[in-house]
Amino acid sequence: IVMPHNGANGNIGIGTTSPARPLDIAASDLPARFTRFNTSPNLGTRIEIRRSRGAIVGESGVVQSGDHIGGMVFQGDDGAGTFSNAARFQAYIDGAAGVGDMPGRLTFETTPDGSDTLVERMRINNQGNIGIGTTTPLGLLNLNGGATGKALAIFNETGNQDIFTASASGTTRFTIANNGTVTASAYG
């Protein structure tokens, strides 16, 4: 283990003599593993990413709507010695926060072919609504976008079940069967 402390910036490196972050781990094998041994079914391994608006370490400061809490970036070597973004997911505060109230949202981004710029593809807001192709999902699942020469959504039932069923309060209102038959029932 190489653990130099870079006195100039306070960074610590494991497997590197030039750490670029407060903790920089470099390895040719899997660089990290987290294992927890416990008999409780509710105590799994986790990583906690925290954010405060406090000005110094240890000072409390309530986060604000839109604040970035943290995320994870996935990068690949482009062959020229540069690591470029391929995908990222991030967490943000998604409303007014306070004691016992911490509304959050997650965003998921990928980089399209021929680019190195991340584009948001999906988000889950504080109400649990999922938006694909939209940053303001209005329902539990909101799909938005143009798919030239393709369908916006593709359902492929390979068994003998219905392809799509829509219901209201548990009552089926619209069905597309696997043989293509469309059934719609009148409301009321």
Side-chain angles (χ1 to χ4, degrees):
I1 295 177
V2 177
M3 288 191 62
H5 179 273
N6 187 332
N9 58 21
N11 295 343
I12 295 175
I14 299 174
T16 178
T17 57
S18 54
R21 299 284 186 263
L23 176 60
D24 195 338
I25 302 172
S28 59
D29 196 359
L30 296 174
R33 175 184 292 165
F34 303 92
T35 305
R36 183 173 194 169
F37 296 92
N38 193 296
T39 60
S40 172
N42 299 321
L43 295 176
T45 300
R46 70 180 186 196
I47 297 172
E48 293 182 5
I49 299 173
R50 297 174 162 191
R51 166 79 193 272
S52 173
R53 279 199 168 219
I56 59 172
V57 174
E59 180 181 77
S60 182
V62 67
V63 290
Q64 306 294 311
S65 185
D67 279 2
H68 181 250
I69 297 296
M72 187 171 285
V73 179
F74 302 88
Q75 299 177 326
D77 189 330
D78 66 3
T82 300
F83 284 87
S84 296
N85 295 333
R88 172 173 65 189
F89 66 87
Q90 302 189 90
Y92 294 89
I93 298 300
D94 197 31
V99 175
D101 182 16
M102 197 59 58
R105 77 171 176 265
L106 292 173
T107 62
F108 300 83
E109 304 164 45
T110 62
T111 304
D113 192 18
S115 174
D116 63 0
T117 302
L118 290 161
V119 177
E120 183 177 322
R121 306 299 186 167
M122 183 176 77
R123 78 170 44 198
I124 304 171
N125 70 14
N126 72 43
Q127 298 170 346
N129 294 343
I130 299 170
I132 299 175
T134 178
T135 59
T136 54
L138 302 175
L140 286 177
L141 177 60
N142 192 161
L143 304 174
N144 186 40
T148 305
K150 300 176 184 170
L152 180 60
I154 297 172
F155 301 92
N156 183 27
E157 166 54 39
T158 59
N160 61 358
Q161 303 300 309
D162 291 335
I163 296 170
F164 181 83
T165 300
S167 62
S169 299
T171 302
T172 299
R173 299 293 181 196
F174 181 84
T175 302
I176 302 174
N178 66 354
N179 65 3
T181 302
V182 176
T183 306
S185 62
Y187 181 75

